[in-house]
Amino acid sequence: AQKITQTQPGMFVQEKEAVTLDCTYDTSDPSYGLFWYKQPSSGEMIFLIYQGSYDQQNATEGRYSLNFQKARKSANLVISASQLGDSAMYFCAMTLYGGSQGNLIFGKGTKLSVKP
Amino acid sequence: DVKVTQSSRYLVKRTGEKVFLECVQDMDHENMFWYRQDPGLGLRLIYFSYDVKMKEKGDIPEGYSVSREKKERFSLILESASTNQTSMYLCASSLRTASSGANVLTFGAGSRLTVL
């Protein structure tokens, strides 16, 4: 069965430092996509970054990068130069392209707190 | 600005009541989803729909039903609310799944339901 594991329930980081949020996934399907979403205290889920299983390069979006290690089945999110506004829940998610109609399987999330 | 709108941000209902959670998207998306979010459990898929009048069970459909009579509207129904259905409910939509590429889910702000 497909599964996403986020082993860090909570993380602290000093403002302006970089932080890595861990995510491992489990699937035997060769075609899949990996996502990271941010959920501030307001509750809305915000899409951050995407990595396809066949993508050769690690995805980057501004201060966000996805460290994709396919053999290890990991898709860690790296946030550079943390800001106070980065304090939120972060969810790793996966979709399979083999007929799942696009629904995402989510991990349990990591709560990131940025300290001034 | 594209949007997924959930009609009620906060609801308080009594055990045994019938509850309707409404979701409307203005992006002409084919796929729509209902997730439930609980602390420590992440997001779990209740139902999804990939076309009008079509529906598929997710991971936790028990106690819920859905309705999709129009493309833009996806309703979640609790036929007889119970206290264990107290939760945050998130609606999302996306384009029809391609064989690859980022099928990003766009989420609504959530509906926090309390069943007394």
Side-chain angles (χ1 to χ4, degrees):
Chain A
Q2 295 76 32
K3 189 177 179 181
I4 292 283
T5 302
Q6 294 181 254
T7 56
Q8 306 153 314
M11 290 274 290
F12 287 91
V13 65
Q14 202 68 39
E15 192 179 9
K16 300 181 184 177
E17 291 186 352
V19 62
T20 297
L21 306 184
D22 294 341
C23 172
T24 58
Y25 60 93
D26 188 16
T27 181
S28 56
D29 195 309
S31 182
Y32 52 89
L34 296 158
F35 300 76
W36 278 91
Y37 280 82
K38 172 184 178 181
Q39 188 181 41
S41 56
S42 59
E44 191 161 347
M45 298 282 283
I46 301 167
F47 166 70
L48 295 178
I49 196 165
Y50 164 82
Q51 180 88 39
S53 59
Y54 296 117
D55 293 343
Q56 297 295 315
Q57 306 256 11
N58 284 348
T60 60
E61 290 285 350
R63 294 187 298 111
Y64 304 108
S65 60
L66 199 153
N67 184 2
F68 182 45
Q69 297 189 42
K70 196 170 184 176
R72 299 178 65 180
K73 294 189 174 181
S74 75
N76 297 341
L77 177 71
V78 181
I79 305 174
S80 63
S82 298
Q83 302 171 355
L84 295 178
D86 293 335
S87 294
M89 284 290 292
Y90 288 82
F91 291 94
C92 181
M94 175 172 64
T95 190
L96 303 178
Y97 292 120
S100 68
Q101 301 297 338
N103 55 290
L104 294 183
I105 303 158
F106 283 86
K108 295 181 179 181
T110 295
K111 184 174 182 179
L112 178 67
S113 299
V114 180
K115 298 187 288 185
Chain B
D1 194 18
V2 293
K3 267 190 177 296
V4 176
T5 303
Q6 295 183 231
S7 55
S8 302
R9 194 69 201 271
Y10 299 95
L11 303 96
V12 179
K13 298 292 181 181
R14 297 280 179 191
T15 302
E17 279 192 77
K18 190 169 186 176
V19 181
F20 292 87
L21 299 180
E22 306 286 347
C23 176
V24 177
Q25 51 95 3
D26 64 1
M27 296 167 283
D28 201 34
H29 283 173
E30 292 86 4
N31 298 339
M32 295 190 75
F33 309 85
W34 275 106
Y35 285 88
R36 170 177 172 161
Q37 182 179 11
D38 300 289
L41 296 179
L43 279 75
R44 294 177 292 167
L45 182 66
I46 305 172
Y47 268 97
F48 65 99
S49 168
Y50 52 89
D51 205 345
V52 176
K53 298 191 184 294
M54 305 301 290
K55 60 184 179 183
E56 293 281 346
K57 292 181 180 179
D59 299 319
I60 51 164
E62 297 79 18
Y64 303 95
S65 62
V66 290
S67 173
R68 192 160 180 208
E69 296 297 318
K70 294 184 178 181
K71 188 176 185 179
E72 67 270 18
R73 186 179 297 270
F74 192 36
S75 302
L76 180 69
I77 303 155
L78 288 68
E79 293 288 343
S80 178
S82 63
T83 55
N84 63 12
Q85 292 178 309
T86 292
S87 187
M88 170 72 92
Y89 291 87
L90 292 167
C91 176
S93 70
S94 74
L95 291 168
R96 189 178 303 283
T97 308
S99 58
S100 64
N103 56 318
V104 176
L105 267 63
T106 302
F107 283 84
S111 297
R112 186 167 293 281
L113 172 67
T114 302
V115 182
L116 302 176

